Amino acid sequence: MRIRSLLCGVAAAALATTGLAALGAGQAAGATTDSKATATTTAGTTALSDRWYAAAPYLMPTDNNPPDAGAIMDATGLKAFQLAFILAPNGGGCSPTWGGTSAVSSDTAVGSVIDGIRAKGGDVSVSIGGYGGTKLGQACSDAASTAAAYQQVISKYQLKAIDFDLEEPEYENTAAVAHEIGAAKILQQNNPGLYVSVTTAGTADGTGWFGKQMLNEAKSQGFTPNNFSIMPFDGGFNGAASQTSALTNFNTILQSTFGWDEATAYAHEGFSGMNGRSDTGEYFKQADFQTVLDFATSHHMDRFTFWSLNRDRQCSPPDNGTTSGTCSSVPQADWEFAKYSVTFAGTTPSRR
């Protein structure tokens, strides 16, 4: 998901401003003025079906021209959002921040966005890692301290789901990956019912050497998340056929790594796509999403998500030959790709 790193300098500046707090408060106020509903979601949350956490598209709530989550919910029926990204502080240390600059401990902006979503009957998962910045697995000394940092995020926002986005350059660091996987296992044990997804790079063969090493680390630690998801884009892909082929190959990798049969592997497998034009100029249009959605539901896969809702709107002109963090670069109606996530949540039965 390289488009995120292209804009990280702008995002870092925006995160530190008071305008960010106004953005979060404005989104929450636009979503609801019901103080009772807001108080309820702040004090504690009721988990959605795990199908919603499995279908939650990524949303950057503080940069890339964040859309109003409530408006998306009203337009599409979407109930869950994958908020990105939790990183280590840019100045160093083992404490969680939004984007490396805004401490979770003092955050009000993202919290206001979350309250607005919950007041409308939705919920969020939070994604940690991503393509840019320093990850907590790199900054913290071991799995326990990494888990303690992430527990602050879970406790602060009363999370029922969390996503480990393990990709370059972190997943090339053996110690960092061990810290992340160990932290995921600790969080899973200490937060009963927590929905945990692990997202990593996709290749034509399923995933590359580093992705396979990550799976081996999970096996060695005895850790099984709800799913391991791959991102089949930015790797020479060409439409849905190449993506479903990669998902088939990844299923074989899961079988051979964990000793699962095909059905069990699909039940622990996820897809994380990129809507519209990818960082490397690939195109994934609505028909491609439909094909992959049909594959995911027919194989009873655990997750179907995409990067990102910030991009789920038409550019001007629609196909401008560039990749943007704020529009898809393909002709579309607003939030058209989000509707595939809604379909996935409604089609696949809950395992709770």
Side-chain angles (χ1 to χ4, degrees):
M1 302 182 190
R2 291 177 177 80
I3 192 67
R4 297 171 292 188
S5 65
L6 297 177
L7 299 168
C8 64
V10 175
L15 279 163
T17 67
T18 56
L20 172 58
L23 166 68
Q27 285 193 338
T32 181
T33 56
D34 187 336
S35 59
K36 181 179 179 181
T38 302
T40 300
T41 56
T42 301
T45 65
T46 300
L48 297 175
S49 158
D50 64 357
R51 293 301 81 212
W52 278 112
Y53 299 118
Y58 288 85
L59 170 68
M60 298 191 85
T62 56
D63 54 85
N64 283 14
N65 188 21
D68 183 273
I72 298 174
M73 296 173 77
D74 289 341
T76 67
L78 188 69
K79 291 185 179 181
F81 299 80
Q82 187 76 59
L83 303 185
F85 285 102
I86 296 295
L87 295 171
N90 287 344
C94 179
S95 61
T97 73
W98 286 102
T101 60
S102 180
V104 166
S105 60
S106 58
D107 167 67
T108 58
V110 178
S112 293
V113 174
I114 294 171
D115 281 345
I117 292 168
R118 288 175 173 163
K120 291 179 71 67
D123 201 9
V124 303
S125 176
V126 167
S127 187
I128 57 186
Y131 183 77
T134 301
K135 319 308 189 297
L136 283 163
Q138 296 170 283
C140 301
S141 59
D142 54 23
S145 58
T146 307
Y150 292 139
Q151 186 64 53
Q152 294 178 45
V153 183
I154 292 172
S155 299
K156 166 95 174 183
Y157 302 116
Q158 297 290 296
L159 297 180
K160 307 300 182 185
I162 195 166
D163 173 51
F164 284 74
D165 190 331
L166 306 181
E167 49 183 301
E168 293 182 11
E170 184 187 30
Y171 80 164
E172 299 172 7
N173 182 324
T174 301
V177 170
H179 295 169
E180 298 284 12
I181 294 298
K185 182 179 179 180
I186 292 169
L187 295 175
Q188 188 182 61
Q189 293 169 339
N190 292 347
N191 300 272
L194 183 71
Y195 183 90
V196 183
S197 54
V198 177
T199 307
T200 197
T203 68
D205 292 332
T207 192
W209 190 86
F210 292 111
K212 293 172 185 175
Q213 293 304 109
M214 180 273 292
L215 296 176
N216 287 332
E217 180 65 35
K219 179 183 179 181
S220 71
Q221 293 200 33
F223 167 66
T224 305
N226 288 75
N227 65 76
F228 293 102
S229 298
I230 57 168
M231 298 179 285
F233 58 84
D234 288 350
F237 292 93
N238 182 24
S242 63
Q243 294 181 310
T244 57
S245 176
L247 291 168
T248 301
N249 292 337
F250 187 57
N251 182 269
T252 300
I253 293 171
L254 292 175
Q255 290 183 56
S256 62
T257 302
F258 296 101
W260 295 332
D261 60 24
E262 181 182 271
T264 303
Y266 275 123
H268 290 89
E269 182 174 355
F271 164 80
S272 181
M274 188 167 182
N275 53 315
R277 191 182 193 275
S278 78
D279 307 287
T280 58
E282 306 152 333
Y283 281 89
F284 304 103
K285 300 182 180 181
Q286 292 88 330
D288 298 304
F289 264 58
Q290 183 65 59
T291 297
V292 177
L293 174 63
D294 291 343
F295 180 92
T297 55
S298 66
H299 288 83
H300 305 291
M301 286 174 56
D302 187 69
R303 188 171 177 232
F304 180 94
T305 184
F306 68 92
W307 179 266
S308 66
L309 286 168
N310 303 67
R311 307 179 67 252
D312 195 6
R313 45 200 170 186
Q314 186 169 276
C315 299
S316 181
D319 186 354
N320 56 19
T322 63
T323 302
S324 171
T326 62
C327 54
S328 66
S329 300
V330 298
Q332 68 160 102
D334 287 351
W335 328 131
E336 193 167 352
F337 288 94
K339 294 178 181 179
Y340 296 101
S341 293
V342 174
T343 300
F344 181 81
T347 300
T348 311
S350 173
R351 295 190 179 89
R352 282 194 187 280

